[in-house]
Amino acid sequence: MKISIFTNRLLMRFKFIALLISIEFISSLGQIIVFMMLLFAVFLFTVKSKNQLANRIFSIFLLITAFDLSGLFLGEFIRTHFNFAILKTSSVLLQMPLFYLYVLAVCYSDFKLNSKHALHALMFFFFVYIFKISSFSEQSLFYFRIVGELQYFAYIILIFYSLSKYRTIYLENYAKADRSAYKWLFQITLYFCFAHLFVLLKTGALMSGIGESYLKLLYLFISSSALIIICWFVLKALYNPHLFTGIKSELEPLKAKLDNKELVAERDMDTLSAIESLAYFMERKKPYLDYELTLEKLANQLKMEEKDLSILINHHLGKHFFDFINEYRIEEAKKILRNPENKKLTILEVLYQVGFNSKSSFYTAFKKITDQTPTAYRKSALAE
């Protein structure tokens, strides 16, 4: 009985809040969101960058999303312009394909658009045709929602798979302690997953015939979350103008290579000799001081095949190339920090000297290896 009373009171409060939310307020919020998206899209399309293709794909994605969100304030126009309504409704099927292509363009520095990528737009054109001949029948809208959900989850799986592959390849081939691209793409994908929950709620509400007051409240949540996300996009772009660094598309994770090629698991004499030569070279030449060091660069310096060096480090030594190089960098940093003559050097100066280019990455790697912060390590080492 008490639970029922509490539920009724809660529902009454939601109704009261919903009544306070006017159509004009939701419309104004929608206009702000769309304006910011358009502004950000223009910025991405015109800004000079090494990642021009990625920026332009994301710009188109924002434009399509803004077109979809225009329904927050163009309700009457949409109802009276059938062709516009068809394009707006069907454009949802372009959003995830565009975001997937954007992920590929960010991850792979040599990514290029070609004719096969047009296949990602097939469902969009199919439903434009269906809506044109069926005039938004209940059946066509039902199938559209089903296909839209299946497409969404299929692309989410593809995106997370691509990010997982990118992370593995990056760790196995690159030593640059900056994985901003991976973090950005992972975060933005999680945001889209969160935002999609509201879309599911809206679809469920429309199908269940829920009251208008609750629909208003739901539209407010959708528009507010969209505004927060677009503001986050803009701030991220402003604070990280050189965010992305791609990898080569022909690279494959080592595990895939091992699955397809024979490999002797035990360390024979040649392997042991190669490990000793590698260690000697690392100690004498200190290639790890180059913050842009890659597996390819190190292989060229050692006059080794890139594949053989990858197997030597990632398989025989049991370390990612990223961790292998950072261990040498941290050892070099430890030498500098415990030397009394270097007391005046700041931690920032030390991290740049040993091949890092990010304070957060240096602190993370240092604590992982020594279980201390650089400052704490210096203090304890100089006190001995």
Side-chain angles (χ1 to χ4, degrees):
M1 183 69 180
K2 287 182 179 180
I3 295 173
S4 177
I5 293 170
F6 175 77
T7 304
N8 287 333
R9 285 179 179 175
L10 191 62
L11 289 172
M12 289 297 293
R13 285 177 183 175
F14 273 131
K15 283 184 178 179
F16 178 72
I17 294 169
L19 287 171
L20 294 176
I21 302 167
S22 66
I23 295 294
E24 289 76 17
F25 178 73
I26 294 173
S27 174
S28 299
L29 201 57
Q31 290 176 47
I32 293 169
I33 295 164
V34 169
F35 175 74
M36 289 186 68
M37 281 188 168
L38 293 176
L39 202 61
F40 190 36
V42 170
F43 165 75
L44 288 173
F45 215 90
T46 56
V47 68
K48 292 181 180 178
S49 168
K50 291 179 181 178
N51 309 292
Q52 204 162 26
L53 178 61
N55 287 342
R56 289 183 175 180
I57 293 173
F58 194 51
S59 175
I60 296 169
F61 166 79
L62 288 173
L63 291 173
I64 295 295
T65 306
F67 183 48
D68 180 36
L69 291 173
S70 66
L72 291 170
F73 58 92
L74 290 179
E76 187 60 36
F77 181 84
I78 292 168
R79 282 189 289 272
T80 56
H81 292 76
F82 182 60
N83 290 331
F84 185 89
I86 288 175
L87 289 175
K88 181 200 162 299
T89 304
S90 304
S91 68
V92 173
L93 296 173
L94 291 174
Q95 291 177 21
M96 290 309 293
L98 281 168
F99 184 62
Y100 172 64
L101 293 175
Y102 168 68
V103 169
L104 294 181
V106 171
C107 288
Y108 300 104
S109 57
D110 52 354
F111 176 80
K112 288 187 172 90
L113 287 174
N114 52 51
S115 55
K116 70 178 181 181
H117 293 124
L119 294 173
H120 290 285
L122 279 179
M123 294 310 300
F124 164 74
F125 289 112
F126 174 75
F127 273 99
V128 165
Y129 173 73
I130 292 297
F131 288 142
K132 191 75 175 172
I133 62 174
S134 70
S135 302
F136 290 122
S137 67
E138 286 187 16
Q139 189 177 25
S140 64
L141 284 171
F142 173 76
Y143 286 125
F144 173 76
R145 292 188 187 107
I146 296 296
V147 170
E149 288 304 314
L150 290 174
Q151 186 213 49
Y152 174 83
F153 286 108
Y155 275 102
I156 282 292
I157 291 168
L158 272 174
I159 289 163
F160 277 119
Y161 170 76
S162 300
L163 290 177
S164 176
K165 181 180 176 182
Y166 167 79
R167 183 177 180 276
T168 302
I169 293 173
Y170 190 94
L171 290 173
E172 289 178 355
N173 293 271
Y174 296 83
K176 190 175 180 180
D178 183 6
R179 286 178 282 176
S180 303
Y182 173 79
K183 290 177 183 176
W184 155 257
L185 292 173
F186 189 79
Q187 287 170 352
I188 195 175
T189 305
L190 287 181
Y191 270 111
F192 287 147
C193 289
F194 171 74
H196 193 68
L197 290 176
F198 290 109
V199 175
L200 291 175
L201 285 172
K202 185 188 80 170
T203 303
L206 289 170
M207 292 179 73
S208 65
I210 197 169
E212 188 181 345
S213 58
Y214 295 112
L215 269 177
K216 283 183 182 180
L217 195 60
L218 192 55
Y219 277 120
L220 178 66
F221 278 120
I222 292 171
S223 54
S224 298
S225 61
L227 183 60
I228 291 167
I229 290 171
I230 190 61
C231 288
W232 181 68
F233 288 166
V234 173
L235 288 173
K236 197 78 173 176
L238 291 174
Y239 284 109
N240 301 274
H242 305 293
L243 188 62
F244 309 122
T245 175
I247 59 178
K248 293 182 178 178
S249 59
E250 70 267 15
L251 291 175
E252 289 290 335
L254 179 62
K255 186 178 181 297
K257 297 177 188 175
L258 300 183
D259 289 341
N260 297 321
K261 298 183 182 296
E262 68 284 348
L263 180 69
V264 179
E266 297 178 359
R267 293 182 180 177
D268 53 23
M269 292 302 293
D270 288 340
T271 301
L272 291 171
S273 176
I275 290 172
E276 288 178 7
S277 298
L278 175 61
Y280 179 80
F281 184 83
M282 295 297 291
E283 290 167 10
R284 292 295 299 271
K285 299 296 184 181
K286 300 185 178 182
Y288 51 84
L289 298 180
D290 176 8
Y291 81 96
E292 290 188 325
L293 183 67
T294 64
L295 186 76
E296 183 182 13
K297 276 188 181 181
L298 185 59
N300 289 335
Q301 292 174 25
L302 289 162
K303 295 180 172 55
M304 282 181 70
E305 288 288 332
E306 189 178 345
K307 178 198 71 176
D308 295 336
L309 181 58
S310 176
I311 292 171
L312 188 68
I313 295 171
N314 292 289
H315 180 72
H316 288 296
L317 292 180
K319 300 173 184 176
H320 286 306
F321 179 72
F322 182 86
D323 294 326
F324 172 74
I325 296 300
N326 281 348
E327 284 178 10
Y328 278 97
R329 288 171 173 169
I330 296 303
E331 285 303 315
E332 188 72 20
K334 285 163 67 178
K335 289 178 188 176
I336 296 172
L337 291 171
R338 63 173 175 255
N339 188 340
E341 295 179 5
N342 298 320
K343 284 174 66 175
K344 291 185 178 180
L345 284 178
T346 65
I347 299 297
L348 197 62
E349 289 172 322
V350 172
L351 73 90
Y352 283 129
Q353 279 190 27
V354 300
F356 283 91
N357 68 334
S358 163
K359 189 175 180 179
S360 60
S361 299
F362 175 63
Y363 271 76
T364 301
F366 197 96
K367 192 159 188 181
K368 180 182 176 182
I369 293 171
T370 67
D371 204 28
Q372 288 181 292
T373 64
T375 305
Y377 178 84
R378 169 184 263 175
K379 189 175 179 180
S380 61
L382 293 177
E384 291 177 358

PDB file of all heavy atoms in Angstrom, residues 71-84:
ATOM      1  N   GLY A  71      14.234  17.698 -35.754  1.00  0.00           N
ATOM      2  CA  GLY A  71      12.852  17.356 -35.432  1.00  0.00           C
ATOM      3  C   GLY A  71      12.390  17.935 -34.111  1.00  0.00           C
ATOM      4  O   GLY A  71      11.182  18.045 -33.865  1.00  0.00           O
ATOM      5  N   LEU A  72      13.349  18.332 -33.245  1.00  0.00           N
ATOM      6  CA  LEU A  72      12.998  18.934 -31.962  1.00  0.00           C
ATOM      7  C   LEU A  72      12.311  20.293 -32.128  1.00  0.00           C
ATOM      8  O   LEU A  72      11.593  20.742 -31.233  1.00  0.00           O
ATOM      9  CB  LEU A  72      14.252  19.094 -31.091  1.00  0.00           C
ATOM     10  CG  LEU A  72      14.887  17.801 -30.556  1.00  0.00           C
ATOM     11  CD1 LEU A  72      16.246  18.094 -29.928  1.00  0.00           C
ATOM     12  CD2 LEU A  72      13.966  17.116 -29.553  1.00  0.00           C
ATOM     13  N   PHE A  73      12.535  20.950 -33.271  1.00  0.00           N
ATOM     14  CA  PHE A  73      11.936  22.283 -33.454  1.00  0.00           C
ATOM     15  C   PHE A  73      11.300  22.488 -34.835  1.00  0.00           C
ATOM     16  O   PHE A  73      10.785  23.562 -35.124  1.00  0.00           O
ATOM     17  CB  PHE A  73      12.974  23.387 -33.204  1.00  0.00           C
ATOM     18  CG  PHE A  73      14.199  23.303 -34.078  1.00  0.00           C
ATOM     19  CD1 PHE A  73      14.255  23.975 -35.291  1.00  0.00           C
ATOM     20  CD2 PHE A  73      15.293  22.559 -33.682  1.00  0.00           C
ATOM     21  CE1 PHE A  73      15.376  23.901 -36.093  1.00  0.00           C
ATOM     22  CE2 PHE A  73      16.430  22.485 -34.474  1.00  0.00           C
ATOM     23  CZ  PHE A  73      16.477  23.153 -35.676  1.00  0.00           C
ATOM     24  N   LEU A  74      11.332  21.454 -35.671  1.00  0.00           N
ATOM     25  CA  LEU A  74      10.730  21.578 -37.003  1.00  0.00           C
ATOM     26  C   LEU A  74       9.551  20.631 -37.176  1.00  0.00           C
ATOM     27  O   LEU A  74       9.276  20.164 -38.289  1.00  0.00           O
ATOM     28  CB  LEU A  74      11.783  21.300 -38.085  1.00  0.00           C
ATOM     29  CG  LEU A  74      12.890  22.340 -38.275  1.00  0.00           C
ATOM     30  CD1 LEU A  74      13.859  21.888 -39.361  1.00  0.00           C
ATOM     31  CD2 LEU A  74      12.313  23.706 -38.624  1.00  0.00           C
ATOM     32  N   GLY A  75       8.856  20.352 -36.067  1.00  0.00           N
ATOM     33  CA  GLY A  75       7.755  19.390 -36.116  1.00  0.00           C
ATOM     34  C   GLY A  75       6.693  19.705 -37.149  1.00  0.00           C
ATOM     35  O   GLY A  75       6.323  18.850 -37.956  1.00  0.00           O
ATOM     36  N   GLU A  76       6.215  20.934 -37.160  1.00  0.00           N
ATOM     37  CA  GLU A  76       5.154  21.327 -38.086  1.00  0.00           C
ATOM     38  C   GLU A  76       5.634  21.286 -39.534  1.00  0.00           C
ATOM     39  O   GLU A  76       4.918  20.823 -40.433  1.00  0.00           O
ATOM     40  CB  GLU A  76       4.665  22.740 -37.735  1.00  0.00           C
ATOM     41  CG  GLU A  76       3.443  23.189 -38.515  1.00  0.00           C
ATOM     42  CD  GLU A  76       2.245  22.281 -38.296  1.00  0.00           C
ATOM     43  OE1 GLU A  76       2.063  21.785 -37.162  1.00  0.00           O
ATOM     44  OE2 GLU A  76       1.502  22.052 -39.280  1.00  0.00           O
ATOM     45  N   PHE A  77       6.863  21.746 -39.773  1.00  0.00           N
ATOM     46  CA  PHE A  77       7.437  21.742 -41.125  1.00  0.00           C
ATOM     47  C   PHE A  77       7.564  20.307 -41.635  1.00  0.00           C
ATOM     48  O   PHE A  77       7.270  20.022 -42.803  1.00  0.00           O
ATOM     49  CB  PHE A  77       8.806  22.419 -41.100  1.00  0.00           C
ATOM     50  CG  PHE A  77       9.477  22.486 -42.437  1.00  0.00           C
ATOM     51  CD1 PHE A  77       9.184  23.504 -43.338  1.00  0.00           C
ATOM     52  CD2 PHE A  77      10.408  21.507 -42.814  1.00  0.00           C
ATOM     53  CE1 PHE A  77       9.803  23.560 -44.579  1.00  0.00           C
ATOM     54  CE2 PHE A  77      11.024  21.556 -44.055  1.00  0.00           C
ATOM     55  CZ  PHE A  77      10.714  22.580 -44.939  1.00  0.00           C
ATOM     56  N   ILE A  78       8.005  19.400 -40.753  1.00  0.00           N
ATOM     57  CA  ILE A  78       8.182  17.996 -41.144  1.00  0.00           C
ATOM     58  C   ILE A  78       6.844  17.358 -41.506  1.00  0.00           C
ATOM     59  O   ILE A  78       6.736  16.601 -42.477  1.00  0.00           O
ATOM     60  CB  ILE A  78       8.864  17.204 -40.005  1.00  0.00           C
ATOM     61  CG1 ILE A  78      10.313  17.681 -39.824  1.00  0.00           C
ATOM     62  CG2 ILE A  78       8.847  15.702 -40.277  1.00  0.00           C
ATOM     63  CD1 ILE A  78      10.975  17.190 -38.560  1.00  0.00           C
ATOM     64  N   ARG A  79       5.801  17.689 -40.738  1.00  0.00           N
ATOM     65  CA  ARG A  79       4.480  17.105 -40.995  1.00  0.00           C
ATOM     66  C   ARG A  79       3.895  17.556 -42.334  1.00  0.00           C
ATOM     67  O   ARG A  79       3.111  16.836 -42.947  1.00  0.00           O
ATOM     68  CB  ARG A  79       3.516  17.467 -39.858  1.00  0.00           C
ATOM     69  CG  ARG A  79       3.714  16.615 -38.608  1.00  0.00           C
ATOM     70  CD  ARG A  79       2.601  16.856 -37.594  1.00  0.00           C
ATOM     71  NE  ARG A  79       2.706  18.170 -36.977  1.00  0.00           N
ATOM     72  CZ  ARG A  79       3.440  18.414 -35.881  1.00  0.00           C
ATOM     73  NH1 ARG A  79       4.126  17.429 -35.310  1.00  0.00           N
ATOM     74  NH2 ARG A  79       3.488  19.619 -35.363  1.00  0.00           N
ATOM     75  N   THR A  80       4.286  18.722 -42.781  1.00  0.00           N
ATOM     76  CA  THR A  80       3.713  19.257 -44.030  1.00  0.00           C
ATOM     77  C   THR A  80       4.619  19.078 -45.251  1.00  0.00           C
ATOM     78  O   THR A  80       4.227  19.407 -46.360  1.00  0.00           O
ATOM     79  CB  THR A  80       3.406  20.759 -43.860  1.00  0.00           C
ATOM     80  OG1 THR A  80       4.597  21.448 -43.453  1.00  0.00           O
ATOM     81  CG2 THR A  80       2.321  20.959 -42.811  1.00  0.00           C
ATOM     82  N   HIS A  81       5.836  18.567 -45.036  1.00  0.00           N
ATOM     83  CA  HIS A  81       6.771  18.339 -46.154  1.00  0.00           C
ATOM     84  C   HIS A  81       7.208  16.876 -46.143  1.00  0.00           C
ATOM     85  O   HIS A  81       8.121  16.478 -45.410  1.00  0.00           O
ATOM     86  CB  HIS A  81       7.987  19.270 -46.041  1.00  0.00           C
ATOM     87  CG  HIS A  81       7.650  20.716 -46.263  1.00  0.00           C
ATOM     88  ND1 HIS A  81       7.022  21.480 -45.310  1.00  0.00           N
ATOM     89  CD2 HIS A  81       7.831  21.527 -47.355  1.00  0.00           C
ATOM     90  CE1 HIS A  81       6.852  22.711 -45.781  1.00  0.00           C
ATOM     91  NE2 HIS A  81       7.320  22.766 -47.014  1.00  0.00           N
ATOM     92  N   PHE A  82       6.519  16.094 -46.947  1.00  0.00           N
ATOM     93  CA  PHE A  82       6.682  14.641 -46.929  1.00  0.00           C
ATOM     94  C   PHE A  82       8.112  14.208 -47.283  1.00  0.00           C
ATOM     95  O   PHE A  82       8.693  13.354 -46.616  1.00  0.00           O
ATOM     96  CB  PHE A  82       5.680  14.020 -47.899  1.00  0.00           C
ATOM     97  CG  PHE A  82       5.723  12.517 -47.931  1.00  0.00           C
ATOM     98  CD1 PHE A  82       5.479  11.774 -46.792  1.00  0.00           C
ATOM     99  CD2 PHE A  82       6.009  11.863 -49.119  1.00  0.00           C
ATOM    100  CE1 PHE A  82       5.519  10.386 -46.823  1.00  0.00           C
ATOM    101  CE2 PHE A  82       6.048  10.476 -49.156  1.00  0.00           C
ATOM    102  CZ  PHE A  82       5.808   9.739 -48.010  1.00  0.00           C
ATOM    103  N   ASN A  83       8.686  14.775 -48.332  1.00  0.00           N
ATOM    104  CA  ASN A  83      10.037  14.368 -48.757  1.00  0.00           C
ATOM    105  C   ASN A  83      11.089  14.688 -47.692  1.00  0.00           C
ATOM    106  O   ASN A  83      12.025  13.911 -47.468  1.00  0.00           O
ATOM    107  CB  ASN A  83      10.408  15.054 -50.081  1.00  0.00           C
ATOM    108  CG  ASN A  83       9.602  14.507 -51.248  1.00  0.00           C
ATOM    109  OD1 ASN A  83       9.189  13.349 -51.227  1.00  0.00           O
ATOM    110  ND2 ASN A  83       9.376  15.331 -52.263  1.00  0.00           N
ATOM    111  N   PHE A  84      10.928  15.833 -47.046  1.00  0.00           N
ATOM    112  CA  PHE A  84      11.840  16.201 -45.958  1.00  0.00           C
ATOM    113  C   PHE A  84      11.733  15.177 -44.826  1.00  0.00           C
ATOM    114  O   PHE A  84      12.735  14.760 -44.249  1.00  0.00           O
ATOM    115  CB  PHE A  84      11.493  17.602 -45.449  1.00  0.00           C
ATOM    116  CG  PHE A  84      12.446  18.130 -44.413  1.00  0.00           C
ATOM    117  CD1 PHE A  84      13.581  18.846 -44.783  1.00  0.00           C
ATOM    118  CD2 PHE A  84      12.222  17.897 -43.055  1.00  0.00           C
ATOM    119  CE1 PHE A  84      14.460  19.324 -43.820  1.00  0.00           C
ATOM    120  CE2 PHE A  84      13.086  18.369 -42.088  1.00  0.00           C
ATOM    121  CZ  PHE A  84      14.219  19.087 -42.473  1.00  0.00           C
TER     122      PHE A  84
END
